[in-house]
Amino acid sequence: MAAAMQDWLPWSLLLLSLTRDTRAFYVPGVAPINFHQNDPVEIKAVKLTSSRTQLPYEYYSLPFCQPSKITYKAENLGEVLRGDRIVNTPFQVLMNSEKKCEVLCSQSNKPVTLTVEQSRLVAERITEDYYVHLIADNLPVATRLELYSNRDGDDKKKEKDVQFEHGYRLGFTDVNKIYLHNHLSFILYYHREDLEEEQEHTYRVVRFEVIPQSIRLEDIKADEKSSCTLPEGTNSSPQEIDPSKENELYFTYSVHWEESDIKWASRWDTYLTMSDVQIHWFSIINSVVVVFFLSGILSMIIIRTLRKDIANYNKEDDIEDTMEESGWKLVHGDVFRPPQYPMILSSLLGSGIQLFCMILIVIFVAMLGMLSPSSRGALMTTACFLFMFMGVFGGFSAGRLYRTLKGHRWKKGAFCTATLYPGVVFGICFVLNCFIWGKHSSGAVPFPTMVALLCMWFGISLPLVYLGYYFGFRKQPYDNPVRTNQIPRQIPEQRWYMNRFVGILMAGILPFGAMFIELFFIFSAIWENQFYYLFGFLFLVFIILVVSCSQISIVMVYFQLCAEDYRWWWRNFLVSGGSAFYVLVYAIFYFVNKLDIVEFIPSLLYFGYTALMVLSFWLLTGTIGFYAAYMFVRKIYAAVKID
C-alpha cells in the first residue's frame, strides 16, 4: 500500500501544481534548500551506469565504504523504471567547510582489503567503462572536461572549451593494467543569498563537481583521526587493482567550496547547456522550410487536380470521357467498403490515439518546465499515468470507428483495444526483465512494481477503455458521403510503384528527414546516459511530424484511389507509419557506429527496447496518417455528384 501511495504521489503533486497560483511557483519536490554555515550537505549515491553494457547497478554492488546504517530513498515509479536506487553514503560534507583529506571506512588507519572476488568484480566494472553517479542537494555530480577549441602553436591563443561529463569514471586502464579512482576531490559551488542586516547568511548549492584521482596505498599518509595527507605534485603512482589477488587501498576524499554568482533557479543550466544548440535551430528551420515547401507544392497540385476532376465529374455531359480521364470516382461504390479484420484495425488505431494524446501532453507540459530533470523520474511517471488515463479517448475513437466499419462485438473490441498493444509491450518488457534479473542489475523492475503496473493496467486503463469504447460505439458512426455497392469492383493490375513496401519507403522519407537530428539527441540521452531537456525543439519537431505525416498520407491515398485500388484502410495505416522503418534502420546504424556494445544481453536489451520504440512510433504516425487520409477521402467524395 505504501509503494502504491509513493507511485501516486508525483502525479497528485503534478495536478496540484497546475491549479496553484503561479506567482510563487516551484516544480513540486524541488524547492530550494537554504543551508547555514556548517550545516550537513548529504551526498547520496544514485547508481552505476555504462553505455557499453546498458545495465545499471546499485552503488553498493561494489565494495565501497558503507555508513553505519544504509537508508534507501523511497523512489517513485519513474526512478524505479530508470534503475535509480538512491542511497546514503559515508561522505561527511559541511556547508562552506573545507576538508583537505579524509579517509573513509578506516579503522585505526588500516587500509581496506578487497578480496579476490571483490577485486575481480571491481576490475570487471572498470574495464566495462562504468560511471558512478552521486547527488548533493538533488544536484548530480559532474566531471569537468577542458577541451581546446583551436590548435594554434601559441598556447596563449588557445581557448578552453569547458564541458561536463555526468558522473565520474570508476577507474581507467593503461597498458593492460587496471586502476581505481579511490580519491574524490569534491568541488561544491554555493550562492550566498542576499538578506537584511543582522540576519545570518544562508547558502544554496548551485554546482557539484568532482575530480577523481587514483593514488596508491603507499603514497597516502593516514592518522588515527581519519585524516590523511596526499602526495604533492604528480609524483605518486595510481592505485592498481589486480583481479587475481587481494588488494589493499584507502578510499579518501576532500571537499572544496567556492562562491558562485549562479542563482539557484539557474543551477541546472550547466548540465543542460549543450554546445550544439545551433544544430537544433538549423535542423528545425531546415525541416520547417522543406516540409512546408513540399506540403505547399503537393497541396497545390492535389487541389488543382481535384478541382478539375470535381468540376468535370459534376458536369452532366461527357460522362464517358470523364470516367476515362481518372479513376478515383470510379471506386466510389467501394471506397468505404469495410476492410478485413476491422476489430484489429480499430484497436490499433485506438492505441495510436492513446499514444498521441499521451505524447502531446507530456511534451507540452515538459516544454513548460514542469518535468525538469531535477524532479527525478517525473517524466516517466507522468507518461505511464497519462497513458493509462488516455485510455478513455483511445477506447472512444476505436469504438466509433469499429461501428463505422460495421462491427457489432463491441465488448470483444474493447478488450482487444485495451490489451493488444499494452500486452505486446508488457510481454517484451517482461522477457527482457528476466535477463536483467539474471544479471542482478538495478535496472530490473522489482516484482512488487510489476504487480503494481499490472494493477494499473487492469484497474485503471482497462475500465477506462471499456468506458470510452461503450460511448464511442453508441455514438452515431462517421457519416460516409457515398453508399457501398453490394458486389465488390474488380481491381485492375497495379504498377510496380504501387507496391506496399515501395509505398512505405516513399512515404517514410519526409517525416524521418524532419526529425532525424532530434532523434540523434534522443538516442544519446537514452543509450549514453545524458540529459535531454530540449522539449521546445521536440514540440516543434512533433508538430512538423504531424503535418508531414498527414500530407504524405493524403498524397499516397490519392494516388492509390486514382489507380482504382479501393483497399486503402490497412494500406494507408501501414504506409503512413513508413518512417518507423527508417527509425529501425537508424537504430541499427547507431548501434554499429556509436555504441560499443559487444555482449549478448546488452545487445538484446538494445534491440528489444528499440523494437518497442519502433512499434510505438509506427502506431503513432500510422494513426496520424490514417485519420488525415480518412478526412480527405470523405471530403473529396462529398464534393462530387454521384448518380
Side-chain angles (χ1 to χ4, degrees):
M1 186 68 183
M5 289 297 293
Q6 291 162 7
D7 291 345
W8 274 93
L9 186 58
W11 178 250
S12 304
L13 290 173
L14 182 66
L15 291 178
L16 284 173
S17 70
L18 291 172
T19 58
R20 291 188 60 180
D21 188 358
T22 56
R23 285 177 295 181
F25 177 76
Y26 284 115
V27 179
V30 289
I33 298 177
N34 293 322
F35 295 93
H36 295 92
Q37 180 73 29
N38 293 327
D39 277 357
V41 180
E42 192 171 8
I43 306 291
K44 294 183 179 181
V46 182
K47 57 184 174 182
L48 310 170
T49 64
S50 169
S51 59
R52 292 187 61 187
T53 68
Q54 301 298 328
L55 291 169
Y57 287 96
E58 291 187 33
Y59 180 72
Y60 290 123
S61 63
L62 292 182
F64 290 119
C65 296
Q66 299 181 2
S68 56
K69 182 182 179 182
I70 297 178
T71 306
Y72 283 89
K73 172 185 171 291
E75 291 100 356
N76 57 40
L77 179 62
E79 289 175 316
V80 173
L81 296 178
R82 282 163 40 94
D84 294 355
R85 301 293 184 268
I86 301 176
V87 64
N88 61 329
T89 61
F91 296 108
Q92 301 292 326
V93 177
L94 303 179
M95 171 55 70
N96 204 17
S97 177
E98 303 271 328
K99 280 190 178 181
K100 290 187 176 181
C101 184
E102 191 88 10
V103 179
L104 284 171
C105 55
S106 174
Q107 296 178 352
S108 301
N109 70 10
K110 289 183 179 180
V112 176
T113 302
L114 303 183
T115 64
V116 177
E117 185 177 349
Q118 290 174 334
S119 301
R120 190 182 302 116
L121 182 61
V122 170
E124 182 182 340
R125 294 286 183 266
I126 293 173
T127 55
E128 289 173 340
D129 202 19
Y130 266 84
Y131 282 73
V132 183
H133 297 274
L134 306 174
I135 54 174
D137 189 25
N138 201 36
L139 206 59
V141 72
T143 305
R144 178 189 291 260
L145 301 176
E146 294 184 349
L147 307 174
Y148 291 101
S149 57
N150 52 2
R151 299 182 178 180
D152 296 335
D154 190 359
D155 291 341
K156 295 180 180 179
K157 295 182 180 179
K158 291 185 178 181
E159 296 179 1
K160 289 184 179 180
D161 184 16
V162 178
Q163 295 183 4
F164 290 92
E165 196 173 49
H166 306 304
Y168 69 89
R169 289 179 182 269
L170 179 62
F172 62 95
T173 58
D174 185 24
V175 196
N176 297 325
K177 290 187 177 181
I178 301 169
Y179 301 99
L180 173 69
H181 284 141
N182 59 324
H183 177 79
L184 302 178
S185 298
F186 294 128
I187 305 174
L188 292 102
Y189 293 79
Y190 65 86
H191 180 74
R192 193 194 303 264
E193 294 301 303
D194 296 328
L195 297 175
E196 298 178 2
E197 294 183 3
E198 298 182 358
Q199 281 189 326
E200 187 180 358
H201 280 291
T202 58
Y203 308 91
R204 291 177 179 176
V205 180
V206 293
R207 188 185 293 178
F208 182 26
E209 293 181 21
V210 66
I211 301 175
Q213 293 175 267
S214 182
I215 305 174
R216 66 177 180 178
L217 174 68
E218 293 78 9
D219 293 336
I220 298 177
K221 305 293 188 293
D223 58 24
E224 296 180 356
K225 297 181 180 179
S226 296
S227 296
C228 55
T229 305
L230 298 178
E232 296 182 0
T234 58
N235 298 325
S236 66
S237 300
Q239 174 63 53
E240 183 182 353
I241 299 295
D242 190 341
S244 61
K245 64 178 185 180
E246 292 185 348
N247 291 271
E248 290 189 344
L249 70 153
Y250 282 119
F251 284 105
T252 59
Y253 71 102
S254 60
V255 180
H256 174 63
W257 288 91
E258 288 189 19
E259 188 170 0
S260 173
D261 294 331
I262 300 173
K263 294 187 176 181
W264 186 89
S266 304
R267 67 178 191 160
W268 275 86
D269 292 354
T270 302
Y271 303 88
L272 303 178
T273 300
M274 303 183 72
S275 59
D276 37 25
V277 173
Q278 291 182 349
I279 296 177
H280 275 80
W281 277 116
F282 176 77
S283 168
I284 293 292
I285 295 171
N286 182 57
S287 299
V288 168
V289 170
V290 170
V291 168
F292 284 102
F293 179 71
L294 291 179
S295 299
I297 293 177
L298 295 174
S299 302
M300 187 171 62
I301 292 173
I302 289 181
I303 289 172
R304 288 188 63 181
T305 307
L306 279 175
R307 281 181 177 174
K308 183 179 178 182
D309 288 348
I310 292 170
N312 288 335
Y313 286 143
N314 288 341
K315 290 180 182 178
E316 295 182 0
D317 52 350
D318 295 335
I319 294 193
E320 292 183 2
D321 296 338
T322 301
M323 293 179 71
E324 291 177 1
E325 183 182 342
S326 181
W328 66 269
K329 191 200 172 192
L330 299 180
V331 295
H332 67 83
D334 298 278
V335 71
F336 293 110
R337 185 179 302 280
Q340 288 183 313
Y341 314 113
M343 183 184 296
I344 297 178
L345 178 63
S346 59
S347 298
L348 291 174
L349 289 167
S351 296
I353 291 291
Q354 204 171 342
L355 271 173
F356 177 81
C357 295
M358 180 267 286
I359 292 173
L360 181 65
I361 296 174
V362 165
I363 296 177
F364 184 75
V365 172
M367 184 181 67
L368 299 178
M370 300 188 64
L371 299 177
S372 69
S374 57
S375 185
R376 206 172 296 275
L379 183 68
M380 194 169 290
T381 304
T382 306
C384 288
F385 276 101
L386 268 177
F387 183 79
M388 301 293 174
F389 286 111
M390 292 301 110
V392 66
F393 297 106
F396 181 85
S397 59
R400 191 175 184 192
L401 182 63
Y402 183 55
R403 186 176 180 187
T404 304
L405 299 179
K406 313 298 182 187
H408 56 275
R409 295 178 294 176
W410 76 269
K411 293 180 182 177
K412 188 176 179 181
F415 183 78
C416 185
T417 304
T419 57
L420 184 59
Y421 168 69
V424 172
V425 173
F426 185 83
I428 293 176
C429 289
F430 180 78
V431 172
L432 295 177
N433 206 52
C434 292
F435 285 98
I436 304 175
W437 266 333
K439 284 287 191 177
H440 306 288
S441 168
S442 65
V445 180
F447 185 74
T449 305
M450 194 167 289
V451 172
L453 287 171
L454 280 173
C455 292
M456 287 168 56
W457 178 13
F458 290 105
I460 299 175
S461 182
L462 187 71
L464 287 176
V465 169
Y466 264 89
L467 180 67
Y469 210 99
Y470 173 75
F471 285 104
F473 193 78
R474 287 190 61 187
K475 191 173 177 60
Q476 188 73 17
Y478 293 112
D479 183 25
N480 295 328
V482 291
R483 290 176 298 187
T484 302
N485 296 336
Q486 292 184 352
I487 302 174
R489 177 187 176 86
Q490 186 175 0
I491 300 172
E493 187 177 351
Q494 300 294 303
R495 300 289 184 95
W496 65 269
Y497 52 80
M498 295 304 295
N499 181 274
R500 186 173 298 175
F501 185 70
V502 175
I504 288 174
L505 293 179
M506 292 170 57
I509 292 176
L510 186 60
F512 178 76
M515 53 165 281
F516 166 72
I517 298 295
E518 212 62 32
L519 190 67
F520 168 76
F521 290 106
I522 292 173
F523 267 65
S524 299
I526 295 174
W527 301 114
E528 298 187 39
N529 199 48
Q530 297 179 9
F531 289 114
Y532 182 86
Y533 198 57
L534 298 168
F535 290 104
F537 289 109
L538 189 61
F539 186 75
L540 288 174
V541 170
F542 185 71
I543 298 300
I544 294 170
L545 182 68
V546 171
V547 172
S548 58
C549 282
S550 303
Q551 293 282 347
I552 289 294
S553 176
I554 289 171
V555 172
M556 297 302 289
V557 78
Y558 175 72
F559 286 149
Q560 183 180 352
L561 294 177
C562 285
E564 300 179 28
D565 185 358
Y566 54 81
R567 300 170 302 181
W568 65 274
W569 303 88
W570 274 105
R571 177 188 167 92
N572 186 260
F573 179 55
L574 294 171
V575 168
S576 299
S579 51
F581 172 76
Y582 289 97
V583 173
L584 176 61
V585 173
Y586 177 75
I588 297 172
F589 170 81
Y590 191 88
F591 178 84
V592 173
N593 289 276
K594 298 293 183 181
L595 297 179
D596 190 20
I597 298 177
V598 292
E599 296 183 14
F600 170 72
I601 291 181
S603 303
L604 181 69
L605 293 179
Y606 179 86
F607 285 106
Y609 289 129
T610 297
L612 289 181
M613 291 171 58
V614 170
L615 173 64
S616 303
F617 192 73
W618 169 63
L619 274 181
L620 175 69
T621 52
T623 302
I624 294 169
F626 176 86
Y627 277 101
Y630 190 32
M631 292 170 59
F632 170 75
V633 171
R634 289 172 58 200
K635 192 79 173 174
I636 64 172
Y637 282 97
V640 296
K641 297 177 182 178
I642 304 296
D643 294 333

